[in-house]
Amino acid sequence: MDTLLSRLPDLRRLNGRRARLVRRFLAAALVLSGVLLFLHPGSARGAPGTATVVSARDLPAGSVLRAADLRLADVPDDVRPAGALGSLDAAVGRLLSGAARAGEPLTDVRLLGSALPAKGESGTVTVAVRLADAAVAELLQPGQHVDVVAAPDATHTASALVRDAMVVTVHRPEGGGQVLNAPDKGPLVLLALPVGVATEVAATSLERPVTVTLR
């Protein structure tokens, strides 16, 4: 005789199957939530996000930014730094004042203005010089204006080679050590100079110690 009591084992088995299905469903839902949180951290948390310019790769100090160096990323407003740029056009062509890691949001204070000479700009060239004093080079930052001075030697007095030169970048050795084969000289400094004096400055820096005065 088919009674309710005789059906209890079947009901228990059915309930056990349902419990296992519910547990599997919950586990799958948790995995899916984790994937969404990883791919879209701002939207998954419910935090509003804003399109932000970030570096597309590791960039050295003094880089003139190109479109390929940058990308837009949706950064949650609660972690978006003040002054962060929201348009690629606001960064392209400007000079990066310090090194940036890939994915780092770029802010207005990290970029120097359009007064920097662009590559190939008429009337200016970039000249590499090594300064006589490494300590002076440590004070320099891209975009800074300096006067270039040649030190005196046996046949020359001290002389100003050029006024109001602009520092493009400073190539410091890895680990902060001295420059190989130049223990008494500072890092290589790239200066934007007028074409008319660039050759003289480059030639003089090979013959006499050269330094800069800060403006």
Side-chain angles (χ1 to χ4, degrees), residues 59 95-101 104-112:
L59 298 170
L95 188 142
L96 189 64
S97 64
R101 288 293 188 185
E104 180 179 336
L106 299 183
T107 63
D108 51 358
V109 297
R110 296 294 306 279
L111 304 181
L112 301 177

Side-chain angles (χ1 to χ4, degrees), residues 18-187:
R18 287 179 177 174
R20 287 194 296 272
L21 287 175
V22 169
R23 286 196 295 268
R24 290 173 181 172
F25 174 79
L26 291 176
L30 288 174
V31 171
L32 180 59
S33 298
V35 172
L36 290 175
L37 183 62
F38 177 77
L39 296 177
H40 304 285
S43 59
R45 291 197 306 266
T50 302
T52 303
V53 178
V54 302
S55 52
R57 58 185 180 84
D58 289 350
L59 298 170
S63 298
V64 177
L65 297 176
R66 304 166 301 168
D69 299 326
L70 309 167
R71 63 182 178 88
L72 286 176
D74 190 24
V75 177
D77 292 342
D78 56 350
V79 298
R80 190 173 189 262
L85 303 179
S87 168
L88 295 179
D89 291 340
V92 171
R94 298 179 67 181
L95 188 142
L96 189 64
S97 64
R101 288 293 188 185
E104 180 179 336
L106 299 183
T107 63
D108 51 358
V109 297
R110 296 294 306 279
L111 304 181
L112 301 177
S114 57
L116 286 164
K119 183 178 180 180
E121 180 178 336
S122 176
T124 62
V125 294
T126 302
V127 176
V129 299
R130 289 201 186 278
L131 302 186
D133 189 345
V136 173
E138 291 300 319
L139 301 176
L140 301 180
Q141 296 294 332
Q144 192 170 6
H145 290 256
V146 297
D147 296 337
V148 183
V149 179
D153 60 12
T155 57
H156 300 87
T157 59
S159 59
L161 299 178
V162 62
R163 299 187 184 278
D164 200 24
M166 183 176 290
V167 178
V168 175
T169 189
V170 180
H171 288 280
R172 296 180 172 87
E174 294 295 331
Q178 292 288 352
V179 179
L180 186 63
N181 299 326
D184 299 326
K185 291 189 177 184

